[in-house]
Amino acid sequence: MTTPVVSIAYHSGYGHTAALAEAVRAGAAEAGAEVHLIKVDEITEEQWETLDRSDAIVFGSPTYMGTASGAFHVFAEATSKRWFGQDWRDKLAAGFTNSASKSGDKLHTLQFFQTLAAQHGMHWVNLGLLPGWNSTTASENDLNRLGFFAGAAAQSNTDEGPEAVHKSDLATAEHLGRRVTETARALRRGRVAA
């Protein structure tokens, strides 16, 4: 059984989303994946080829004005070359985002990623966690402290740098990386068995 290939295609404006991308990478690598970090605003032809051979692509972007960043939207439109041939059909997809507000319309960004994945015929991997920090016995240090289901979501203060990304949000992103890798491995086993 070969190692699953997981690529993280992301844009980061101020470094907060890059910190989350690194956490997703760490979780995927810990679970045994070959992992590639791809900055979509600097993507090369070789990196497009890496996405093409990936078992899973994890999309990441800050949430700006209620959606993914403009740089991520440029990348999404450029994927239309792959869409025409359905080159990414049956790959796995997942997503993560960050904004300064607790809600910040992050769900819309995750839904944008889900729609992009659906247009490509990809299979979405959700976070697979119950919400944390929603009772008197809970803590802001719980996994999924912001209570998202579709993907990993983080909140970072506008007046702090990427070093201040909440440890729980980083741990939630690591969880997503592990989950994507484990799902990719299970899907490969099923395909080999079939």
Side-chain angles (χ1 to χ4, degrees):
M1 184 71 52
T2 58
T3 301
V5 179
V6 175
S7 288
I8 302 158
Y10 75 99
H11 173 249
S12 184
Y14 299 98
H16 304 95
T17 309
L20 292 170
E22 175 55 34
V24 174
R25 186 212 60 77
E30 178 188 301
E34 172 190 327
V35 191
H36 301 273
L37 286 173
I38 298 173
K39 295 179 181 179
V40 299
D41 54 334
E42 301 174 3
I43 193 165
T44 65
E45 190 54 43
E46 181 181 344
Q47 289 172 322
W48 278 111
E49 292 168 8
T50 298
L51 292 174
D52 293 342
R53 71 179 182 83
S54 295
D55 296 293
I57 302 173
V58 184
F59 301 123
S61 169
T63 295
Y64 292 156
M65 305 308 292
T67 188
S69 66
F72 194 92
H73 276 268
V74 169
F75 162 77
E77 288 183 23
T79 69
S80 64
K81 293 177 183 175
R82 272 69 187 168
W83 175 81
F84 281 114
Q86 288 291 280
D87 299 343
W88 293 355
R89 183 177 192 79
D90 292 330
K91 291 182 184 298
L92 297 177
F96 61 95
T97 189
N98 177 79
S99 72
S101 299
K102 293 284 190 275
S103 171
D105 295 320
K106 288 186 272 281
L107 179 59
H108 186 262
T109 300
L110 294 172
Q111 289 172 331
F112 170 75
F113 295 154
Q114 288 177 314
T115 300
L116 177 63
Q119 288 181 339
H120 282 283
M122 302 170 82
H123 303 289
W124 188 259
V125 179
N126 61 46
L127 193 54
L129 289 173
L130 292 172
W133 201 22
N134 64 358
S135 71
T136 57
T137 59
S139 157
E140 72 173 307
N141 297 310
D142 293 343
L143 281 180
N144 197 19
R145 72 185 179 111
L146 298 178
F148 283 78
F149 294 92
Q155 181 273 327
S156 302
N157 295 329
T158 57
D159 57 352
E160 292 184 297
E163 69 284 349
V165 175
H166 200 286
K167 290 184 184 345
S168 170
D169 296 342
L170 293 172
T172 302
E174 285 179 19
H175 167 85
L176 180 64
R178 284 190 297 274
R179 182 168 167 83
V180 167
T181 300
E182 291 161 2
T183 305
R185 184 174 292 111
L187 187 60
R188 275 182 172 238
R189 284 185 188 132
R191 287 178 176 161
V192 167

